[in-house]
Amino acid sequence: MNNFIYYNPTAILFGRGQADAVGERMAPLGRNILLLSGGASAERSGLLDRVREKLRTAGVAYTELPGVKPNPVIEKVREGAALCKSRRLDAVLSVGGGSVLDSAKVIASAARHEGDPWELLAKKIKPANPLPVGCVLTLAATGSEANGNAVISNPATAQKLAWYHPQAYPRFSILDPELTFTVPREHTAYGAVDIMAHVFEQYFHDVQATPLQDGVAETVLRTVAATAPIAMARPDDYASRANLMWASTLALHGVVGAGVVGDWTCHMLEHELSAKYDIAHGAGLAVVYPAWMELMAPRKPARFRQFAVNAWGIDPRGRDDLAVAREGVAATRSFFRDTLGVGVRLSDYGIAPDRLNEMAQAVYDLKGPTGLGGLTREDLERVYRGAL
Ligand code: NZQ
Ligand code: ZN
């Protein structure tokens, strides 16, 4: 196991009714806050009204900024940061999924930055003492609720860039599984793919002697495989929504990745797809990951064999590692396509091969050869082509 620093300052309030604590949790962080939300879902479900009432009761004044869209764009961040500055707001509350929360984190830092907010992402700037961020989460997927990451798109440059700031972790995240009962089928599925993908990124490493990390990772995968289909069939099944929500947090709040080496190539390949074609993050991952696994399984057969056996329950007897590994890859693609009903080919999203070269180059330019788990520029394009 490698050396590591585990750091996670986010307080998690998990379970039924926890959203009622939003006022008392927010009040110590700010008395004049930005209330950030997405499209219509939180209004429609009554959640926003409930949050407003709790804020008022706790003596917290708020300026509302709705309209953060999936694959959140920098223009909304600019709007939010300008409001924070002009109205001297002192904290940001995110009510929504990962897109709202990622925007909230960057707004909170951009409020402390003199230049354009896009500079934070493009130049990896981390302003000191960003505004504190609180979160009421409505979708299980990203793990953003307990990490310092944000991912923002810039249509003007056709980029979608990830950013990390150790001071960007939400101060608290309210995880009430009942708030996810209204998540549509396809977004429940995309969320399940994303949770699994976060585990994959931190699982196929070469670090030795990591049985604890492996075990947590494999358990998260089995939990998602068991519960996502139930949540899709019965959206108000509390147990499956609860397990998915906690799996989302566990996958990307630092424990699975502690002491190992994360990869994140597939996330970068996906972010290019979202940047160029505005497809959902989970949809892009369902396309990229099986193709990446097909390339990588022959390079790491023993590791992929372990994955096949422990994540998918494949019986390895009588076969060599690679044969078992390949069955694990097929099981992954089949779970995405047949069980979750998510497209696993670029053509499923109407994406033609004309920009694959350009996208592979963009990923390569961002990360370079050492940051890509040994993958060459040609390998990156091979992954895209394998997903056609
Ligand atoms: O906008 P509204 O009306 O709320 O609708 C949203 C949106 O259409 C809807 N939704 C959310 N909660 C709902 C609901 N609909 C009904 N009931 C609810 N309770 O779901 C749709 C998708 O929402 P979004 O926030 O975009 O989804 P998600 O949470 O999957 O976030 C995706 C974004 O996070 C980034 C992705 O790249 C993508 O931009 N990521 C962030 C990460 C991080 N910060 O650590 C890591 C991830 O790998 C990922 O890259
Ligand atoms: Zn992701």
Side-chain angles (χ1 to χ4, degrees):
M1 198 194 306
N2 293 348
N3 289 5
F4 63 88
I5 296 173
Y6 176 74
Y7 168 76
N8 199 311
T10 303
I12 303 283
L13 287 77
F14 192 96
R16 280 195 178 98
Q18 294 284 20
D20 289 338
V22 67
E24 69 209 49
R25 283 281 161 174
M26 216 50 224
L29 304 180
R31 291 282 170 177
N32 187 20
I33 70 164
L34 184 73
L35 173 53
L36 191 69
S37 58
S41 78
E43 197 73 81
R44 221 172 21 235
S45 68
L47 174 62
L48 269 173
D49 270 342
R50 190 169 156 202
V51 168
R52 290 180 187 114
E53 199 247 320
K54 296 298 171 192
L55 291 174
R56 277 196 299 270
T57 307
V60 177
Y62 52 84
T63 297
E64 293 205 39
L65 181 59
V68 174
K69 63 173 218 60
N71 292 328
V73 292
I74 192 64
E75 199 47 46
K76 202 63 171 181
V77 171
R78 291 187 178 116
E79 212 181 315
L83 274 175
C84 289
K85 287 178 180 175
S86 65
R87 300 197 183 186
R88 298 180 177 283
L89 305 181
D90 47 14
V92 183
L93 175 61
S94 164
V95 178
S99 293
V100 180
L101 181 53
D102 284 5
S103 302
K105 291 175 181 178
V106 183
I107 288 170
S109 274
R112 300 283 199 227
H113 177 64
E114 286 303 318
D116 179 44
W118 184 246
E119 290 174 0
L120 271 56
L121 292 118
K123 300 180 186 169
K124 302 202 178 302
I125 295 172
K126 304 168 193 213
N129 305 317
L131 304 183
V133 172
C135 161
V136 180
L137 191 70
T138 63
L139 197 162
T142 63
S144 186
E145 63 271 17
N147 67 43
N149 304 326
V151 190
I152 302 290
S153 297
N154 186 344
T157 60
Q159 285 175 300
K160 181 173 184 180
L161 297 183
W163 172 82
Y164 172 79
H165 186 343
Q167 291 183 303
Y169 287 70
R171 297 293 182 90
F172 69 85
S173 280
I174 291 175
L175 274 54
D176 178 348
E178 288 187 342
L179 300 180
T180 66
F181 285 0
T182 51
V183 175
R185 250 182 99 78
E186 76 270 22
H187 284 289
T188 302
Y190 296 151
V193 174
D194 194 21
I195 298 167
M196 286 186 152
H198 296 156
V199 171
F200 298 158
E201 297 284 12
Q202 304 170 100
Y203 182 83
F204 295 105
H205 54 74
D206 300 312
V207 181
Q208 299 299 304
T210 58
L212 190 53
Q213 291 89 334
D214 293 1
V216 175
E218 290 156 358
T219 303
V220 172
L221 294 174
R222 286 196 302 271
T223 300
V224 174
T227 55
I230 300 172
M232 289 174 70
R234 297 199 303 275
D236 59 355
D237 183 87
Y238 183 85
S240 58
R241 291 292 193 185
N243 279 290
L244 270 183
M245 204 165 204
W246 190 224
S248 141
T249 307
L250 282 186
L252 201 52
H253 81 328
V255 161
V256 171
V260 305
V261 178
D263 188 303
W264 302 103
T265 306
C266 286
H267 265 69
M268 296 186 65
L269 291 166
E270 192 301 299
H271 289 162
E272 272 301 300
L273 286 175
S274 288
K276 301 288 190 288
Y277 299 99
D278 200 19
I279 65 171
H281 177 58
L285 290 168
V287 166
V288 166
Y289 243 111
W292 176 88
M293 286 179 170
E294 269 167 1
L295 181 75
M296 295 304 290
R299 299 184 189 182
K300 300 183 177 192
R303 191 70 178 157
F304 277 81
R305 173 193 186 278
Q306 179 182 332
F307 164 69
V309 172
N310 292 349
W312 295 118
I314 288 164
D315 182 354
R317 283 175 295 182
R319 286 172 307 148
D320 66 17
D321 285 359
L322 186 54
V324 178
R326 287 203 162 117
E327 205 177 317
V329 177
T332 308
R333 183 176 270 140
S334 166
F335 179 73
F336 292 165
R337 183 189 55 213
D338 306 325
T339 307
L340 299 181
V342 176
V344 292
R345 297 282 175 193
L346 289 168
S347 51
D348 293 330
Y349 302 92
I351 298 174
D354 52 323
R355 298 182 79 178
L356 303 186
N357 188 309
E358 175 198 346
M359 292 195 297
Q361 188 64 47
V363 172
Y364 190 79
D365 290 346
L366 268 177
K367 212 59 188 227
T370 52
L372 290 164
L375 266 66
T376 63
R377 150 81 187 70
E378 289 66 36
D379 285 336
L380 298 177
E381 193 171 334
R382 215 167 279 144
V383 174
Y384 281 135
R385 294 209 173 277
L388 274 169

